[in-house]
Amino acid sequence: MTTPPRILVAGGGYVGLYTALRLERRLGRGQAEITLVDPENYMVYRPLLPEVASGTLEPRHAVVPLRAALRRTRVVTGRVTSLDHQARSATVLSRAGEQLHLAYDHAVLGFGSMAKLLPVPGLTERGIGFNSVAEAMYLRDHVLRQLEIAAATTDRELRRRALTFVFVGGGYTGVEALAELQDMACHVVDGYRDLHRTEMRWVLVEATDRILASVPKDLADRATDELRRRGIEVRLGTQLKSAENGVLHLSEGPDFAADTLVWITGTKPSRAVSKLGVPTDDKGRIKVAETLAVSGMPGLWAAGDNAAVPDLDRGGLCPPTAQYAVREAKHLADNLIATLNGRRPEPFHYRGQGEFVTLGRHKAVAEVMGVKLHGLPAWLARRTYYVTQIPTLNRKLRILADWTVGMPFGHDVVDLGSREHPHAAFRDAAEAE
Ligand SMILES: Cc1cc2nc3c(=O)[nH]c(=O)nc-3n(C[C@H](O)[C@H](O)[C@H](O)COP(=O)(O)OP(=O)(O)OC[C@H]3O[C@@H](n4cnc5c(N)ncnc54)[C@H](O)[C@@H]3O)c2cc1C
């Protein structure tokens, strides 16, 4: 009896989850041993993070538990630290802190991306990114806390900096995060006697002459108008030069102080990639052929944000989006199976179907298969799309329940920031003994 091929899936995000799901569906029992490695035991459904930040979605409902979704895959929680592809072995630092050596015949690399920082003084100390559930949850609590600080103080300068929220980067992630949080803050502020919406200052800083470069210009302009109508300062052609001591120095205009600085200017491949000894391009992305096989390394495959996937339909490279990552993952799985069966892998073809950008409750812009939408129809189309796409019935129902409850009741505005220091009350009690 021959032993089944061992397939290692490194990373449990879009690429990892959808590759493993496809392999499970297309390969019979015993036809392959699939192992997936990720530091977390869940996949983050990142397009829903802006709604986690604004409290329209419970954080746990925006993730997919890997073991529940993947019934025939062994899930290892840990971090892939190196590869010895000659020996077909991956080294993993497990959650228990132990080093594991996982043997494989084929490995799929889907480590995703991380925030791309620029050498702006004070940025690392003062800024925060928007790529994880933790960051989305933190920002929500942080904004709510800033409102409490502003309401509680008599110091006008402290009040002003507490109520100043700056987002750098006008791509869809930056716009969505800012728009959702501002929408929530407006809703919350209405409940304060001594705070008013107009006291808040929300600033979007974008280096180029427009926001939302990936959507058609007229939709981007509509989004800009919507943000400005809500009093948000959209500063185009502007760069953040310094954030030292919380004082923001932009390329134009006077300096001002802000306690909130969110940096969302793009991403670069995850740090793990540089340690693997795989071929990369000038931006650190793994070089892959049009079949998604890593160039010159048979048995190794890559897709998603960490790979430079040729875009055969539009030229250049495929954009680093979930929409592409899902299609690449499914195609990669099919090609891997074809290779196992002695067939030729096929080139990857996909043409993007459009994009949704949420701008807060009942507000969005979208382009779906060439049809442009805005306002409520775009917002409803976005929600319908994501709820049908998220894997497992369990998650679909939980998200639907959150949204349904949110319809009449709006944002959930409780700041549970105290969970950042869960031992504090216990230590306090010990001190009081
Ligand atoms: C806030 C936000 C909103 C977005 N909205 C949209 C949208 O509306 N539409 C859209 O199409 N795209 C959107 N995107 C982009 C989309 O989420 C990414 O393109 C997509 O997640 C890429 O999939 P991936 O599998 O390459 O990476 P990811 O989904 O990021 O998965 C990478 C996985 O690798 C794991 N990993 C990292 N290092 C290691 C290691 N050393 N060992 C093992 N595992 C490791 C990580 O834990 C993670 O689970 C958004 C992104 C963000 C951050």
Side-chain angles (χ1 to χ4, degrees):
M1 203 174 92
T2 55
T3 51
R6 297 153 302 180
I7 303 173
L8 176 71
V9 181
Y14 274 89
V15 168
L17 176 63
Y18 283 93
T19 302
L21 274 173
R22 184 81 153 201
L23 291 170
E24 283 194 358
R25 279 178 199 154
R26 296 261 157 120
L27 290 170
R29 242 169 228 291
Q31 278 190 283
E33 267 176 26
I34 311 166
T35 303
L36 183 147
V37 183
D38 195 286
E40 307 295 345
N41 64 3
Y42 55 81
M43 175 260 197
V44 181
Y45 211 78
R46 291 183 209 280
L48 295 177
L49 288 183
E51 292 194 55
V52 169
S54 67
T56 44
L57 207 56
E58 158 68 28
R60 282 184 179 77
H61 300 168
V63 307
V64 180
L66 291 169
R67 288 192 179 84
L70 298 168
R71 296 297 185 177
R72 284 167 40 208
T73 297
R74 177 185 168 218
V75 175
V76 175
T77 46
R79 197 170 277 283
V80 175
T81 53
S82 63
L83 276 188
D84 182 349
H85 190 58
Q86 287 279 57
R88 298 288 198 274
S89 171
T91 306
V92 173
L93 183 63
S94 81
R95 258 294 180 86
E98 291 161 5
Q99 244 188 26
L100 312 173
H101 298 283
L102 301 182
Y104 63 84
D105 298 297
H106 286 264
V108 178
L109 310 179
F111 296 107
S113 54
M114 57 198 275
K116 187 168 69 190
L117 271 68
L118 291 177
V120 174
L123 175 60
T124 331
E125 297 76 33
R126 294 284 166 172
I128 184 167
F130 196 79
N131 200 27
S132 64
V133 178
E135 286 165 332
M137 287 168 71
Y138 168 82
L139 268 173
R140 173 168 174 273
D141 288 339
H142 171 79
V143 169
L144 295 172
R145 215 170 309 143
Q146 294 305 105
L147 301 183
E148 290 298 347
I149 290 170
T153 184
T154 51
D155 179 336
R156 290 177 63 185
E157 178 47 32
L158 175 60
R159 185 173 168 113
R160 211 181 348 253
R161 66 187 291 158
L163 293 177
T164 304
F165 306 93
V166 180
F167 288 65
V168 184
Y172 62 79
T173 318
V175 169
E176 288 193 323
L178 172 136
E180 282 281 341
L181 277 160
Q182 191 262 0
D183 200 44
M184 174 194 78
C186 286
H187 169 79
V188 178
V189 158
D190 289 346
Y192 283 77
R193 278 170 176 225
D194 33 17
L195 278 184
H196 191 264
R197 288 177 182 212
T198 53
E199 282 184 89
M200 292 193 293
R201 185 176 180 197
W202 290 79
V203 186
L204 177 62
V205 179
E206 164 57 40
T208 68
D209 62 358
R210 61 167 284 193
I211 61 166
L212 299 174
S214 56
V215 307
K217 176 92 169 60
D218 54 338
L219 280 183
D221 288 344
R222 201 176 265 283
T224 309
D225 291 346
E226 159 68 21
L227 298 180
R228 286 189 168 143
R229 190 190 57 74
R230 283 156 52 180
I232 297 165
E233 287 174 44
V234 181
R235 308 272 293 261
L236 300 175
T238 307
Q239 292 161 21
L240 175 68
K241 294 292 185 188
S242 165
E244 278 180 312
N245 304 317
V247 176
L248 303 196
H249 175 61
L250 303 183
S251 54
E252 52 188 53
D255 293 358
F256 58 94
D259 283 340
T260 309
L261 173 62
V262 189
W263 179 268
I264 322 182
T265 62
T267 56
K268 61 182 182 188
S270 173
R271 177 199 286 252
V273 171
S274 61
K275 299 181 185 138
L276 301 180
V278 293
T280 53
D281 69 0
D282 57 339
K283 299 226 165 77
R285 293 169 294 204
I286 303 169
K287 281 189 191 167
V288 293
E290 52 208 28
T291 56
L292 304 171
V294 176
S295 309
M297 300 182 87
L300 213 51
W301 306 80
D305 286 10
N306 72 176
V309 178
D311 187 336
L312 299 180
D313 293 82
R314 298 182 316 169
L317 295 177
C318 293
T321 64
Q323 192 184 145
Y324 273 82
V326 169
R327 272 70 182 198
E328 290 165 15
K330 291 178 178 171
H331 192 84
L332 188 160
D334 290 349
N335 274 350
L336 201 160
I337 294 169
T339 309
L340 291 178
N341 293 333
R343 286 186 282 112
R344 260 168 45 127
E346 299 287 334
F348 172 71
H349 283 277
Y350 178 67
R351 191 174 272 273
Q353 301 294 308
E355 209 163 299
F356 299 99
V357 182
T358 173
L359 299 173
R361 213 159 168 246
H362 302 170
K363 299 172 278 285
V365 290
E367 191 201 9
V368 189
M369 291 191 261
V371 180
K372 292 173 187 168
L373 302 169
H374 59 89
L376 187 63
W379 184 79
L380 288 172
R382 176 183 176 276
R383 286 198 157 186
T384 309
Y385 176 75
Y386 285 128
V387 84
T388 53
Q389 293 301 305
I390 197 164
T392 77
L393 181 63
N394 177 318
R395 252 41 194 175
K396 289 183 206 301
L397 292 179
R398 285 176 194 269
I399 288 174
L400 272 178
D402 282 356
W403 283 343
T404 309
V405 172
M407 290 285 185
F409 297 115
H411 304 95
D412 195 336
V413 296
V414 178
D415 163 17
L416 285 182
S418 55
R419 69 169 189 279
E420 287 163 29
H421 308 284
H423 299 287
F426 197 63
R427 292 204 179 118
D428 200 32
E431 272 173 33
E433 283 298 314

